[in-house]
Amino acid sequence: MPGWALVARPSQLPPPGDWRQWLILGGRGSGKTRAGAEWVRAMVEGVFPAATRVHGRIALVAETLADAREVMVEGESGLRANVAGPRPVYEATRRRLVFGNGAVAQIFSSEDPESLRGYQFDAAWGDELAKWKHADACFDNLQLGLRLGERPRALFTTTPRPVPLLQRMLAEAGGIAGAGAAAAEASGGGFLGGEPLSGLPAISPPRGEKGLPSGSGGTVVTHMRTDENADNLGAGFVEAMAARYGGSRLGRQELFGEMIADREDALFDRAGIDRMRVRAAPALRRIVVAVDPPATATKRSDACGIVAAGISADGTIYVLADHSRQGLKPHEWARAAVGLYTLLEADRIVAEVNQGGDMVEAVIRTVAPSAPVRAVRASRGKWVRAEPVAALYEQGRVRHAGSFPALEDEMADFGPDGLSSGRSPDRLDALVWAVTALAGPSAEPRVRGL
């Protein structure tokens, strides 16, 4: 591993600690397979710091036997590639890979979990865990076979999908480790374009349970994105994927390696939002900017929801922007709302006044005295107000012009009891006000020019 350690990214190297299983979540082409192959080689050779001894019995598990051979063994980043000395020999009839020091890596398919019975290992590598056919049975049989040596360990590499096994492993680990989308948000966005992403939605341990302590079955998680491996991908690939899938559910999962776990009782359907998404809105006859101000102005306060939407001649509503921000003082969120109003040449600012009353409109007018402001007051609960808007989405009458990951995360996590985090759905509130203002009978078309 010393040579590999010089060129590998930190997320491709084994994390410290006395863990039992290491889970790598990564986008397509992010370097997961290479990390897996190099880890297995280091275990076989007993190379520090990945291993302190030689591991002689390895399990290689993939969705199918063909995947195990073509990707894990024979692939461009597999175990028989990038080898300085003699390459290990693959014995097809026995479904195993034999290394020069006598170590054996046996391949298995998730289609046949029972085939793992009778074997025992001191290390294992499972690839594309989220695609395994009989994931639970295969995982359980593999765990029961990891019983050789002092510290038997397993590595699982996968592009994430919200499958139960992966969710349980993340819950055990207590969420996501590593940079991931959170780093993209801190830096103002990633190659997936648009606004900063909201970060990986961590999956909390079930009530009454805690993550297992390190060394007693514990799981550690690292995360990697496709664009982090751009130097090893074809010219133009990252840019092409960003243009085609940037910000979409598919892009966030397959390129950013994000776990997008939606609530079953969510009012909005993320797949439906993605299906109706467009790159840009057509000519619009009316645009509004909706503002949902927070009650206080501290770093821990709720965000100020600032969302713009417009309506076209055929009555379709297009969500245009989400400029919601947290920790803004009144004059700051007013300036942000007026700035979006000016940028889009909007017709009106719609502001909820439940929290601030007349002060809300007054603050906006200190920034833009002539801006038309419509004050709205919520007299019903958030769910009841959002239901008609969700119905418009289901009818295909609301479309997103671009991607708004943080807003869409709130939408896909909004259930009868609000957000699963317990926080206020401020972005969603602003969206509801914007769509309601455009869909209602008080639409006020304006001539934009001749």
Side-chain angles (χ1 to χ4, degrees), residues 17-20 43 50-57 120-123 145-154 215-217:
D18 192 23
W19 45 267
R20 178 174 172 84
M43 298 294 277
T52 57
R53 62 180 179 83
V54 171
H55 292 66
R57 293 293 179 267
Q120 53 184 354
F121 315 102
D122 48 10
L146 274 172
R147 55 180 187 260
L148 290 180
E150 296 179 3
R151 294 170 57 198
R153 287 181 159 187
S216 61

Side-chain angles (χ1 to χ4, degrees), residues 181 183-185 187-197 225 227 242 256:
E185 181 170 8
S187 63
F191 87 101
L192 291 179
E195 62 178 343
L197 297 181
R225 305 179 333 201
D227 63 337
F256 228 179

Side-chain angles (χ1 to χ4, degrees), residues 288-362:
V288 300
V289 174
V291 183
D292 179 40
T296 57
T298 68
K299 291 183 177 180
R300 295 186 178 183
S301 299
D302 294 332
C304 178
I306 305 174
V307 173
I311 189 167
S312 64
D314 67 358
T316 302
I317 295 171
Y318 293 85
V319 180
L320 305 174
D322 173 20
H323 284 198
S324 305
R325 294 294 182 268
Q326 190 168 10
L328 298 182
K329 293 179 171 56
H331 70 278
E332 293 173 329
W333 59 250
R335 191 178 300 122
V338 170
L340 184 57
Y341 163 85
T342 304
L343 176 66
L344 297 177
E345 299 182 359
D347 300 277
R348 186 173 294 279
I349 296 175
V350 178
E352 182 184 307
V353 298
N354 285 57
Q355 300 289 357
D358 294 339
M359 180 273 293
V360 173
E361 185 174 346

